[in-house]
Amino acid sequence: MRLLACFLSTIFVVSAYKSYDGYQVITSRTVTLRDLSEPRRLENDPEYIFWARPAVGRPLHVMTSQISIGKLWSELEHLNLAPSVYIEDVGPVLAKADEKRQKLMDIPLNRAVSFDRYMTLQEILDYTAEVVQNYPLHSSLLELGTTYEGNPLRAVKVSNGPGKRGIFLDAGTHAREHITHPLALKAIFELVENYDQNKALVDLFDWYILPVANPDGYNYTFNEDRFWRKNRSPNVGSDCVGTDPNRNYDINWGIDGDANPCSEAYRGVAAFSEAESSAIGSALRDIENNGGLALYMSTHCYGTFLIYPWGFTYEFPVTYDELAKAANLTATAIEAVNGTRFVIGSSANVYFPAVGASMDYAYAVGNNNTYSYTWELPAGGEFGFAPLPEDILPIVSETWEGIKALANYVNTQVLK
Ligand SMILES: *[C@@H]1O[C@H](CO)[C@@H](O)[C@H](O)[C@H]1NC(C)=O
Ligand SMILES: *[C@@H]1O[C@H](CO)[C@@H](O)[C@H](O)[C@H]1NC(C)=O
Ligand SMILES: *[C@@H]1O[C@H](CO)[C@@H](O)[C@H](O)[C@H]1NC(C)=O
Ligand SMILES: *[C@@H]1O[C@H](CO)[C@@H](O)[C@H](O)[C@H]1NC(C)=O
Ligand SMILES: [Zn+2]
């Protein structure tokens, strides 16, 4: 079997991917609250690609090229973070994952959903179009906008009658975070195709699910660069492409944030300068103005965190106790499935501070009493942002149990 795998890998080496040969992933000791701010400085260096951002209670995972390993190593030593090698050479690891992906691609999906592999942008667009055609009584498409490359920001709305509060879930704001897209597809599958079993959830809320919040970037991770994070819009006066849509929302934009177009977390030239953030922002305001935005969820990876506002400040939001209570019962529901433990807390305090994020924006749009969350889904290991195909279904299934518990809880609250 092993021999066969080796043999196949020599056939499938032809890849248009950007090479990560010689790139290493460096890890560190566990980060504490006390030293959280120091490693954050390193995030501004475009040479460092953070697989795992600085967060309390876990080590860093930072990828960098051969040329910058020495510099990164000494910076981490200087910060007393005890660097060590996590992945010796990313190149072959990526080649192995890509080979597996190419093989799985041979199985045609025929416009059906799949959790056996990561679906391409075109496959996801085809599936969403098909599913609403098959279930027109309780589902429809909402084209929220169009990206720089002309791809649709296509959400599925699930509704069985007027006058309900809304739940919005988006996936893949960061292009490379591939485990998030199947989570959104799981939500669509359960609410639309598996409607008979989940009708109660649609009786309670209108659901808006955007499975690819950054389609240009997502497509780019399939064809050009597996570790691309931002969107693909060009930047005037710079050769570096892309803005981080999750630093571009019109919420405290400009008080902080990365102004370097070459950075992975570039905030853009102005609040809502990007098609992706501006379209989602507009959809959130519409939902708030038509029945109310009860629950907002943005899905990312990786970390196994469920975090809530604020991201822009260490101060707690007014509904902190409620957000924490709901997060706790969500994490408890997930742990009951198979033992996966999510860390919960306010973004700036347990994860990292960030200005211009969708979670803060949604919370503010809902007058500071929307249940607003960012999910950092489990991933990691040698495949970084995309767990092995066989791990997709376990991860999205347990997370879906958490989302159901959260929606049911939000329904019992009269906050909104
Ligand atoms: C994805 O990218 C490829 C290669 O650049 C391009 O040919 C294709 O049209 C893109 N697909 C979509 C749906 O944008
Ligand atoms: C939820 O609350 C219970 C009771 O206070 C606590 O034991 C548990 O650790 C909390 N879970 C999380 C994920 O914080
Ligand atoms: C929401 O909270 C922020 C930060 O505390 C505050 O500036 C803002 O006025 C609040 N908005 C509302 C509608 O209460
Ligand atoms: C449960 O967790 C174990 C250990 O992480 C894993 O091997 C297994 O596949 C998981 N099973 C399901 C059904 O999620
Ligand atoms: Zn992300």
Side-chain angles (χ1 to χ4, degrees):
M1 201 53 217
R2 185 162 288 243
L3 259 176
L4 180 65
C6 283
F7 177 62
L8 285 172
S9 71
T10 58
I11 298 175
F12 284 97
V13 284
V14 219
S15 164
Y17 260 156
K18 171 179 171 165
S19 166
Y20 281 91
D21 287 345
Y23 279 65
Q24 283 195 349
V25 181
I26 306 295
T27 187
S28 71
R29 70 161 166 80
T30 302
V31 173
T32 65
L33 190 56
R34 251 186 93 208
D35 47 32
L36 196 56
S37 64
E38 284 303 315
R40 280 202 65 223
R41 264 196 314 106
L42 304 179
E43 286 189 287
N44 296 333
D45 191 329
E47 291 298 307
Y48 303 153
I49 299 170
F50 274 76
W51 282 25
R53 297 197 158 247
V56 174
R58 72 173 187 188
L60 305 173
H61 291 166
V62 190
M63 179 170 78
T64 196
S65 68
Q66 200 85 66
I67 310 163
S68 305
I69 290 167
K71 188 177 75 163
L72 173 62
W73 193 274
S74 58
E75 295 205 75
L76 292 177
E77 273 188 335
H78 180 72
L79 296 173
N80 264 318
L81 284 167
S84 62
V85 174
Y86 185 62
I87 296 178
E88 186 73 43
D89 187 350
V90 175
V93 173
L94 203 58
K96 198 171 133 201
D98 199 36
E99 172 207 320
K100 190 161 181 171
R101 180 171 73 86
Q102 301 278 0
K103 264 165 43 191
L104 289 168
M105 287 289 292
D106 293 346
I107 306 158
L109 298 184
N110 297 322
R111 300 178 163 246
V113 74
S114 170
F115 302 105
D116 297 333
R117 66 166 168 85
Y118 294 97
M119 293 168 72
T120 66
L121 173 61
Q122 194 57 56
E123 287 170 338
I124 294 175
L125 293 174
D126 289 347
Y127 168 65
T128 48
E130 182 81 4
V131 82
V132 302
Q133 248 180 41
N134 292 340
Y135 299 90
L137 291 183
H138 57 266
S139 70
S140 57
L141 290 186
L142 272 187
E143 309 282 0
L144 305 181
T146 306
T147 63
Y148 174 76
E149 290 180 357
N151 283 309
L153 291 158
R154 174 177 292 173
V156 171
K157 178 179 179 184
V158 192
S159 171
N160 62 12
K164 286 171 192 155
R165 298 186 293 164
I167 293 180
F168 192 102
L169 183 148
D170 59 51
T173 296
H174 293 140
R176 65 195 177 196
E177 297 171 3
H178 283 194
I179 189 61
T180 63
H181 307 83
L183 174 65
L185 293 169
K186 170 78 173 169
I188 293 170
F189 173 79
E190 291 294 339
L191 295 169
V192 180
E193 296 198 59
N194 209 5
Y195 176 74
D196 290 346
Q197 273 186 39
N198 292 300
K199 178 174 176 298
L201 292 166
V202 188
D203 289 341
L204 301 178
F205 296 104
D206 285 348
W207 294 73
Y208 302 83
I209 298 157
L210 177 61
V212 194
N214 176 5
D216 299 353
Y218 187 60
N219 195 36
Y220 197 71
T221 64
F222 275 77
N223 295 300
E224 308 282 343
D225 180 354
R226 177 60 192 88
F227 293 111
W228 190 257
R229 165 183 162 101
K230 299 187 283 184
N231 70 7
R232 292 293 305 161
S233 64
N235 293 309
V236 175
S238 169
D239 288 339
C240 293
V241 170
T243 290
D244 182 345
N246 208 32
R247 300 291 182 276
N248 189 248
Y249 281 75
D250 190 6
I251 176 82
N252 305 115
W253 187 93
I255 64 165
D256 195 0
D258 205 323
N260 175 4
C262 296
S263 151
E264 289 226 291
Y266 176 49
R267 67 188 181 188
V269 284
F272 282 156
S273 58
E274 303 310 300
E276 297 82 2
S277 44
S278 124
I280 295 171
S282 161
L284 296 176
R285 292 193 303 277
D286 284 351
I287 296 167
E288 172 63 17
N289 295 332
N290 292 281
L293 178 63
L295 171 60
Y296 171 77
M297 292 172 280
S298 189
T299 60
H300 295 254
C301 74
Y302 54 86
T304 325
F305 286 87
L306 178 56
I307 53 182
Y308 35 90
W310 293 108
F312 84 98
T313 172
Y314 291 96
E315 279 166 36
F316 287 169
V318 281
T319 61
Y320 179 85
D321 291 347
E322 259 308 305
L323 289 163
K325 187 177 170 194
N328 181 294
L329 68 88
T330 306
T332 304
I334 294 173
E335 192 173 350
V337 178
N338 193 29
T340 301
R341 297 185 75 119
F342 273 79
V343 173
I344 67 170
S346 87
S347 174
N349 290 287
V350 303
Y351 199 53
F352 60 92
V355 175
S358 65
M359 174 188 74
D360 278 4
Y361 185 77
Y363 187 69
V365 160
N367 297 307
N368 296 351
N369 63 15
T370 287
Y371 288 82
S372 186
Y373 295 94
T374 297
W375 289 87
E376 293 286 343
L377 298 177
E382 59 174 354
F383 295 104
F385 303 94
L388 291 169
E390 53 267 36
D391 293 333
I392 297 175
L393 197 55
I395 293 173
V396 302
S397 299
E398 67 185 13
T399 308
W400 174 244
E401 291 306 313
I403 291 173
K404 284 197 288 187
L406 181 54
N408 281 315
Y409 174 76
V410 169
N411 174 57
T412 64
Q413 299 307 298
V414 288
L415 260 185
K416 288 195 62 78

